[in-house]
Amino acid sequence: MAPRQSLLRPLARAVRTIGQRQLHVGRLAMDQGKIRQVIADALSVSASTQPIPAVPADYHAHADADLKLLEGLGIHTKVVQHNARPGTLYDEALRYEKGSAILSTGALAAFSGAKTGRSPLDKRVVEEPSTKDDIWWGAVNIPVSESTFKINRERAIDYLNTRERLYVLDGFAGWDPKYRYKVRVITSRAYHALFMHNMLIRPTAEELANFGEPDYTIYNAGAFPCNRATEGMTSGTSVSLNFASREVVILGTQYAGEMKKGVFTIMNYLLPKQGILSMHASANAGKDKGDVTVFFGLSGTGKTTLSADEHRLLIGDDEHAWTDQGIFNIEGGCYAKAIGLTREKEPEIWDAIRFGALLENVVFDQRSGQVDYDDVSITENTRVSYPLEYIPNVKIPAVAGHPKNIIMLTCDAFGVLPPVSKLTPAQAMYHFISGYTAKVAGTEMGVTEPTATFSACFGAPFMVWHPAKYAELLAEKMAQHNVNAWLINTGWTGGSYGVGHRMSLKDTRAIIDAIHDGNLAGGEFETFPRFNLQVPKSCAGVDSKILMPNKTWSSQDEFQKASVKLATLFKDNFKKFSEGMSEFMKNCLKESRAKMQQSPSNHSMSGQLRRDRERQRDKSPPRQKSPPRPARSGGLHASVGGSTTPTAHQSAPEEHCVHILAGHTGSVLCLCGVGDILFTGSQDGDIMIWDLNNLQYIGTLPVHKGFVKCLYASYAKKVLCSGSQDRTIRIWSLETFSTVKTLLGHTGGVNAILILEGADVLVSGSEDRSIRVWDLATFEAVACLEAAHLGGVFALDRFGSPLQVVSGARDRSLKVWNASTWAVSKTLHPPHYDGVTSIAVAGKHGKFYSGSRDRSIKEWDVQSLTNTMHTLHVHGDWIQALCMSPSDDVLFSGSKDGVVKVWDGELQCQDVLQGHRGPVSALTAVGNRLFSASHDRAVRVWRIEQYG
Ligand SMILES: Nc1ncnc2c1ncn2[C@@H]1O[C@H](COP(=O)(O)OP(=O)(O)O)[C@@H](O)[C@H]1O
Ligand SMILES: C=C(OP(=O)(O)O)C(=O)O
C-alpha cells in the first residue's frame, strides 16, 4: 500500500498544479505529454498531442463571475466556459472528450457513450402540489417524490463538483418573444454545450448581457449514474423534471437528445396552460404565398426530412407552438437523423454539415475524416445537429402565420395505410389522439426494428397534460383557420416490414408538392375501406398504383389480415383515452371510430354538431305539430320617449320565430323580462319597454350617454337596473319608471349586473376588471373587488346555498365568489381559451354553463365546481349569450355568427334558430318564448315549448 499512496499523492498534486497553471499561467515547465496522459487517465478523457494553449484574452474578466454563478448553486470548479463560441467548444471537446474529431466537412464528431437514444422509461416528473393536478400521470409521466429529486440533484452537483471544467450555456426556447423562456444548461461536456448552442435560440450579445436568471436550468451530469437504490429509480439512468423548482436533472445518459426533449417537455407544460398548442411537429412555409404546413410525427416519420424542402422556407424541424397569431418554432436548430444520409436524397441537411454542426455517434475514417453514413455499428440513431440558419431557405425569425395544411406523418410498418389520404376534421382528431406509427430503430433505447406504436399527439413521451388538452386546442384552431388535414404514410408499402419496402422519399415528396400546389385537394378521391380514408385517385409524379395500398400487395388475403389487425389495434388503443376526455371529444371520436367502416362523406368535427342537430331534428316532432303562431297585431302605442316608431310584426318565414320587435336605432345589446314586461337596451343609449302579453311597444327610457350594455330587473325589489358604457349604473323604480339613483364608481363600462334579493345587494362587473357590490337600501358600495379579473368582467350569475356569485371575464377565467365575504371560493379550471362572455345557471340540475369567445360551452357542477362537460367551437364565431329555458332543461346559446342554438342536457344540439342578420348579443326566456337581441337592431321572439 505504501508505494501506491506515495505515488497517488504527487499525482493528485500534479493534477492540481496543472489545473492551476492552465488557469492562471497557461504554460507548463513539466513534461507535458506525460502529464497529459496522467490527467487523461485520471479524468478518463483523451490525451491530446497539441500544446496546451494560452487562456483566452477575456478569461480573467469573466472567470470570476462565472465561477460565482456556479458557486451560488453549490458547484465549485476551476474553469467555467460560459456561452463559449463553437470554436472554443471544438477546442475543449478535442482536448478533453475521447474520440472527438473535426471531420472532413468541418463538423465536430462526438460520442455519447453507452446511451445513444432516449431513455423514456427513466423519465420522471416530480409530484408536488402546485402542478400535480395538471399532469397526466402514467407510463409517460411517472411521478417521483421531491426528496428523490433532491437526491438526484445533489448527486448531479456532487459529480459536477468533481470536474475541473464545466460548461454553461444560456439560450431561449420559443421564437415568439411573448412566449419565450430562458434556459440555462450546466454540463460537464463541451459537446453538450455545442449541441445546446445549436438547438436553443441563440441570444444576441445584448440579450446575453441582460440574460439574468434563467426560467429553467438543466443540470447535465449524464456521465455519472443515478443511484438505482434511490426510491423511484429503476436503473442507473434518470431524467427528472421539477416544474416547481424549474429544474431538469440528467444522470446516467449523455445522449444529447434528452436535453432538447427536456426543454420541449417543459414547453408542453407551460404553453397549453396559456391556451397555446405545443406541437411535436416540423413546419415550413411557401416561398411566395407564405402558406404554412405543419408536419406532425413521432420520431423517424420524416418531420426533419420533409420540412427541409428546396421549394419552401424552413421554420423548424421538430417543436412548434400555435398561438392566436400563428405558429412559432421553439428551437434554434435541427437535430436530423444521419443514417443513410446522401446529398441526393437530402441536400439541405447534407449541406448543413459543416463547421459548427455536431455529428453524434457516427463512424468516420480516421485518416480522411469522412463519415460512413451507412455504418450502424455504434447506433442506428446517428444524428447531426446544426443551427437553423445552416439551411439556406430558412425563415428567421422562425415565426409564421396560421397553417393551411396539417400533415400527420405515420411510418406504418404494417404497410396498410395509403401513402396519402385526406382527413376530415373528426378523422384528424382521431388520428392525432391515436398517434399511430412504428417506432424506428435507435431513437429510443431497446428499439431495434420498426415496432407498431400509438403515441398520442404524435409525441406522447413529451406530453404533460392529458392528450385531450392538446387535441381540443388543435380542433379549435383547425376549425378557426379552416385547415386541410392529411395523413401521410412514410412507412411501408408492398407488404409489411420484412416483406415490403419503405415508401420512396421521392414519392412522398411528390405527394407533398401536390398538397402544396393545391392539386391533390382539388382532385378526385376514392374510399379506402375499413379505415374510411379518402384517397386521391391520382397524384402528379406518383404511380397511381401505389396510392391504394392493397394494390401493392401480392396477396390480398395477407393484406386483409394485416388491415384487420391494424384496425383492431386502433380500436384497442382508443379505450385508454376515455377518462379525462371531454364529452364532446368522446362523442366525436366515438363517431369517427364507428364510421371507420362506413361511408365517409359529410364527416367533420364541426359537422358533428350539425349532424347532432340534424339527428335531433329527425327525432323532433314534425313541424306541423308546432306551427308558428299566428301573427300578432302590429299596432303601436305612442312612444314615451319620443323615439322612432317601433314595430312589432309577424316573423319572417323562419321556423319558430313568431315576432320581431323592431325600433332601436342601434344594435340591441341586452334584454330582460320581469312580470309581463320586457326591457331591451341598445347601443342607441335607450331602453325600450315592451308588453309581453301582446308584444306591443310601450315606451322608451332615454337614459344613458353611452351604450346600454346590461339590464337586470327585480320583481321583488320593484327595480330595473341598467349598466352602461358611460360607466354608470342607473336604478329605476318599476312603479314610477323614474330614476331612483345613479351609481358612480366604475372606471370602465359596466358589462354585467345582478341583484341578490336576499342579501339586498346589487353586483356589477365592469370593463375596469373590478366587481363592485352595492347596498340596495343605501346605494353605497359595500365591497369593491378591484382587479377581480385580469380583463374586463363580461358576465355574472349566482347559484347555490350559501349563495355564490360566478363571474366570467375577458381574461378567459371564471371565478366563484362567496356572496357574503366576497372572497374567491375558486377559480374554475380549466379556463376557456378566450374571453368568457356569458353564464347561465340551471339550478334544478345543479349545473351552470359558461359561453366563450372560444366558441365553446362548458358545463360546471355547482357542488364540486368542476368542469363536467365541454363542447368545442359549436358556433361559427364568439358565443355572446347563454340562457336557460324556464324549466332549466334546455340551454340556448347566441353567437356573433347570428344564430341561436338549442342544447339539451347532454349538450347535444337540438336546433338552430336562424333569422338574425347580425350578431346575437343577448338572450332571455320568458314562459314559452325566447327573446334574442341582435346587432341587426331587432329582437326576435321564438316559440320554445317544443324543446321541453
Ligand atoms: N418516404 C419517406 N419519407 C420520409 N422519410 C423517409 C422516407 N423514407 C425513408 N425516410 C428516412 O426516414 C428518416 C426520417 O427521419 P427524420 O426526418 O429525422 O424524422 P423525424 O424528424 O420525424 O424524427 C430519414 O432518415 C429519412 O431519410
Ligand atoms: C430527438 C428526438 O426526436 P426526433 O427523433 O423526433 O428528432 C428523440 O425522440 O429523441
Side-chain angles (χ1 to χ4, degrees):
M1 285 307 280
R4 278 195 70 172
Q5 278 175 357
S6 63
L7 260 179
L8 276 172
R9 243 181 261 118
L11 171 61
R13 245 195 329 269
V15 169
R16 271 202 303 277
T17 312
I18 293 158
Q20 279 157 16
R21 285 192 180 194
Q22 246 184 279
L23 262 176
H24 303 297
V25 184
R27 65 187 161 77
L28 288 168
M30 301 166 75
D31 175 353
Q32 291 193 357
K34 195 166 164 208
I35 292 165
R36 241 183 245 112
Q37 193 55 57
V38 171
I39 300 168
D41 291 342
L43 301 178
S44 120
V45 293
S46 65
S48 162
T49 51
Q50 300 159 21
I52 293 169
V55 183
D58 59 355
Y59 174 80
H60 291 291
H62 299 292
D64 280 356
D66 293 339
L67 288 172
K68 280 207 185 90
L69 180 153
L70 290 190
E71 277 163 19
L73 299 167
I75 303 170
H76 304 272
T77 188
K78 288 188 173 161
V79 181
V80 180
Q81 292 287 4
H82 189 183
N83 294 324
R85 63 194 159 79
T88 306
L89 295 172
Y90 265 55
D91 281 346
E92 298 271 317
L94 293 172
R95 196 163 318 118
Y96 300 107
E97 298 179 8
K98 219 171 200 159
S100 301
I102 302 181
L103 301 173
S104 58
T105 52
L108 180 74
F111 296 90
S112 67
K115 294 286 170 88
T116 55
R118 261 184 314 101
S119 306
L121 301 178
D122 298 311
K123 188 182 118 185
R124 298 288 181 277
V125 180
V126 174
E127 185 175 0
E128 55 79 38
S130 69
T131 52
K132 84 175 192 333
D133 294 339
D134 297 339
I135 295 166
W136 197 43
W137 300 108
V140 167
N141 295 302
I142 304 171
V144 74
S145 68
E146 285 180 288
S147 65
T148 292
F149 180 80
K150 259 193 210 141
I151 294 171
N152 283 349
R153 187 181 180 281
E154 287 277 318
R155 197 166 165 100
I157 286 180
D158 285 349
Y159 170 74
L160 295 174
N161 269 322
T162 68
R163 306 293 90 191
E164 298 204 331
R165 322 181 67 78
L166 291 176
Y167 305 87
V168 178
L169 194 283
D170 298 328
F172 297 123
W175 274 91
D176 183 335
K178 270 205 293 209
Y179 306 106
R180 168 172 282 183
Y181 289 87
K182 295 185 284 181
V183 178
R184 172 164 293 159
V185 182
I186 302 171
T187 173
S188 61
R189 295 203 58 181
Y191 123 66
H192 286 162
L194 180 61
F195 177 79
M196 289 308 269
H197 169 89
N198 288 347
M199 299 309 297
L200 289 172
I201 298 161
R202 290 160 289 288
T204 60
E206 196 189 342
E207 284 167 338
L208 270 188
N210 300 317
F211 196 79
E213 284 304 304
D215 297 311
Y216 273 80
T217 304
I218 300 176
Y219 299 88
N220 191 335
F224 197 63
C226 71
N227 183 342
R228 67 181 67 222
T230 309
E231 194 192 347
M233 298 294 103
T234 45
S235 79
T237 298
S238 168
V239 178
S240 26
L241 283 89
N242 187 336
F243 291 117
S245 70
R246 294 181 289 155
E247 292 170 313
V248 179
V249 172
I250 301 176
L251 287 161
T253 170
Q254 297 175 72
Y255 173 60
E258 296 285 7
M259 287 183 286
K260 76 161 231 144
K261 284 300 200 281
V263 173
F264 184 44
T265 307
I266 292 165
M267 295 299 263
N268 279 321
Y269 177 62
L270 299 175
L271 295 178
K273 207 175 167 71
Q274 302 164 72
I276 293 155
L277 174 65
S278 48
M279 307 180 283
H280 190 219
S282 61
N284 64 19
K287 276 185 181 163
D288 303 326
K289 291 182 277 172
D291 60 299
V292 172
T293 296
V294 167
F295 303 80
F296 282 100
L298 199 63
S299 183
T301 53
K303 293 186 300 298
T304 308
T305 306
L306 300 170
S307 57
D309 178 335
E310 59 173 325
H311 308 300
R312 297 176 64 82
L313 299 177
L314 177 75
I315 302 166
D317 82 327
D318 198 42
E319 305 169 8
H320 287 82
W322 191 351
T323 70
D324 287 345
Q325 281 71 49
I327 64 160
F328 67 82
N329 187 357
I330 289 173
E331 300 184 289
C334 302
Y335 190 36
K337 284 182 190 58
I339 194 74
L341 190 69
T342 63
R343 185 163 202 289
E344 188 204 358
K345 283 194 293 184
E346 297 173 70
E348 289 81 11
I349 296 174
W350 181 275
D351 291 344
I353 303 178
R354 52 189 142 110
F355 179 82
L358 177 72
L359 276 154
E360 195 183 34
N361 298 325
V362 293
V363 176
F364 57 90
D365 184 281
Q366 293 294 332
R367 287 164 65 107
S368 66
Q370 276 179 0
V371 177
D372 179 354
Y373 288 108
D374 292 324
D375 193 325
V376 293
S377 55
I378 298 176
T379 175
E380 294 239 15
N381 191 29
T382 54
R383 295 275 183 162
V384 56
S385 102
Y386 46 87
L388 273 180
E389 55 272 20
Y390 280 23
I391 297 286
N393 43 339
V394 69
K395 190 162 183 331
I396 303 274
V399 290
H402 297 289
K404 182 171 176 202
N405 287 292
I406 280 185
I407 296 177
M408 297 184 177
L409 300 171
T410 175
C411 173
D412 173 24
F414 285 99
V416 165
L417 294 177
V420 59
S421 17
K422 188 155 193 320
L423 302 177
T424 64
Q427 286 176 320
M429 280 312 105
Y430 181 75
H431 283 280
F432 182 70
I433 290 274
S434 299
Y436 165 69
T437 192
K439 279 185 191 167
V440 288
T443 308
E444 285 183 11
M445 295 305 292
V447 178
T448 50
E449 59 179 47
T451 315
T453 185
F454 290 87
S455 185
C457 315
F458 292 106
F462 324 113
M463 300 300 144
V464 181
W465 303 83
H466 189 286
K469 173 112 177 165
Y470 305 93
E472 289 183 7
L473 280 168
L474 179 65
E476 183 186 301
K477 293 194 180 295
M478 281 180 61
Q480 234 165 40
H481 302 289
N482 199 19
V483 184
N484 288 322
W486 306 87
L487 182 69
I488 287 190
N489 175 13
T490 62
W492 271 254
T493 177
S496 297
Y497 171 71
V499 177
H501 56 88
R502 186 119 188 229
M503 204 74 69
S504 91
L505 197 44
K506 189 177 139 288
D507 285 338
T508 304
R509 285 201 193 280
I511 287 167
I512 289 172
D513 287 346
I515 289 175
H516 286 142
D517 63 26
N519 288 343
L520 215 55
E524 277 186 74
F525 290 84
E526 59 187 314
T527 301
F528 176 57
R530 184 161 291 116
F531 291 85
N532 188 33
L533 292 167
Q534 289 295 284
V535 175
K537 285 188 173 166
S538 63
C539 174
V542 179
D543 181 351
S544 304
K545 274 196 273 189
I546 72 156
L547 294 175
M548 208 33 108
N550 55 311
K551 293 188 187 158
T552 67
W553 283 55
S554 51
S555 158
Q556 291 307 299
D557 269 4
E558 290 302 314
F559 176 80
Q560 289 309 328
K561 271 190 223 152
S563 161
V564 168
K565 185 166 173 197
L566 183 58
T568 311
L569 288 179
F570 264 98
K571 283 180 197 151
D572 290 349
N573 167 66
F574 218 81
K575 289 176 193 149
K576 63 177 178 265
F577 291 110
S578 48
E579 211 179 287
M581 196 171 279
S582 71
E583 286 305 311
F584 176 75
M585 208 69 189
K586 275 188 212 163
N587 286 342
C588 273
L589 297 166
K590 216 187 293 162
E591 182 181 308
S592 187
R593 267 179 304 160
K595 294 227 168 166
M596 256 164 94
Q597 311 239 16
Q598 298 166 16
S599 157
S601 60
N602 188 26
H603 186 213
S604 71
M605 185 78 159
S606 41
Q608 145 102 7
L609 290 158
R610 195 176 55 244
R611 286 188 308 285
D612 282 347
R613 193 186 73 222
E614 281 157 5
R615 257 199 320 266
Q616 293 297 341
R617 270 213 172 125
D618 294 345
K619 279 195 236 154
S620 66
R623 281 188 195 178
Q624 58 269 34
K625 286 193 186 162
S626 55
R629 269 192 183 182
R632 299 275 175 175
S633 118
L636 295 172
H637 287 202
S639 158
V640 179
S643 66
T644 53
T645 316
T647 58
H649 56 80
Q650 190 180 359
S651 75
E654 292 88 16
E655 190 188 9
H656 307 318
C657 177
V658 288
H659 278 82
I660 297 172
L661 308 181
H664 279 292
T665 55
S667 305
V668 189
L669 301 178
C670 49
L671 32 70
C672 75
V674 61
D676 45 13
I677 292 179
L678 178 80
F679 295 98
T680 56
S682 157
Q683 209 174 21
D684 58 22
D686 289 344
I687 297 173
M688 284 190 170
I689 312 167
W690 308 82
D691 182 341
L692 281 178
N693 296 310
N694 54 17
L695 293 179
Q696 299 294 311
Y697 168 74
I698 297 175
T700 299
L701 303 172
V703 285
H704 285 285
K705 293 203 191 84
F707 308 170
V708 183
K709 298 186 94 178
C710 51
L711 288 170
Y712 193 96
S714 165
Y715 192 80
K717 299 285 164 196
K718 297 279 188 296
V719 289
L720 166 75
C721 311
S722 58
S724 164
Q725 190 202 24
D726 68 12
R727 306 171 183 188
T728 67
I729 299 163
R730 291 249 184 142
I731 317 276
W732 302 80
S733 157
L734 281 182
E735 285 159 342
T736 62
F737 285 100
S738 57
T739 316
V740 177
K741 188 80 186 174
T742 301
L743 305 181
L744 305 172
H746 277 299
T747 54
V750 182
N751 294 331
I753 40 182
L754 178 69
I755 287 179
L756 306 181
E757 279 90 356
D760 230 7
V761 294
L762 180 147
V763 188
S764 56
S766 158
E767 204 51 61
D768 67 12
R769 307 170 183 192
S770 77
I771 294 175
R772 286 173 186 251
V773 186
W774 313 80
D775 186 313
L776 266 186
T778 62
F779 299 113
E780 296 296 324
V782 289
C784 176
L785 317 173
E786 296 281 7
H789 282 272
L790 298 174
V793 180
F794 288 147
L796 291 170
D797 214 327
R798 95 302 294 278
F799 60 83
S801 167
L803 199 59
Q804 316 226 54
V805 166
V806 55
S807 57
R810 190 194 296 280
D811 65 3
R812 310 184 285 127
S813 73
L814 282 153
K815 288 189 181 180
V816 176
W817 308 83
N818 178 317
S820 46
T821 61
W822 295 104
V824 183
S825 319
K826 189 164 178 183
T827 299
L828 301 187
H829 188 81
H832 278 278
Y833 299 125
D834 205 339
V836 181
T837 54
S838 40
I839 299 169
V841 177
K844 182 168 111 184
H845 302 292
K847 306 277 181 212
F848 62 90
Y849 298 91
S850 53
S852 162
R853 289 181 172 181
D854 68 12
R855 300 180 289 146
S856 76
I857 299 170
K858 287 185 189 239
E859 183 196 80
W860 306 88
D861 182 77
V862 160
Q863 287 301 323
S864 59
L865 297 182
T866 53
N867 181 206
T868 38
M869 235 190 282
H870 182 189
T871 68
L872 282 177
H873 47 79
V874 290
H875 276 280
D877 211 323
W878 296 354
I879 292 177
Q880 309 203 112
L882 286 181
C883 90
M884 297 306 304
S885 65
S887 66
D888 270 2
D889 291 333
V890 179
L891 173 73
F892 301 97
S893 60
S895 161
K896 208 174 162 190
D897 65 9
V899 303
V900 174
K901 293 196 173 184
V902 185
W903 305 92
D904 67 12
E906 296 300 312
L907 282 183
Q908 297 291 319
C909 184
Q910 299 211 3
D911 216 341
V912 179
L913 307 180
Q914 283 167 320
H916 277 299
R917 297 193 184 98
V920 177
S921 42
L923 295 171
T924 191
V926 184
N928 58 5
R929 288 174 298 188
L930 174 76
F931 297 83
S932 57
S934 166
H935 285 228
D936 66 8
R937 304 175 184 189
V939 172
R940 285 191 171 239
V941 188
W942 313 84
R943 295 185 58 141
I944 54 169
E945 72 264 30
Q946 68 278 20
Y947 303 123

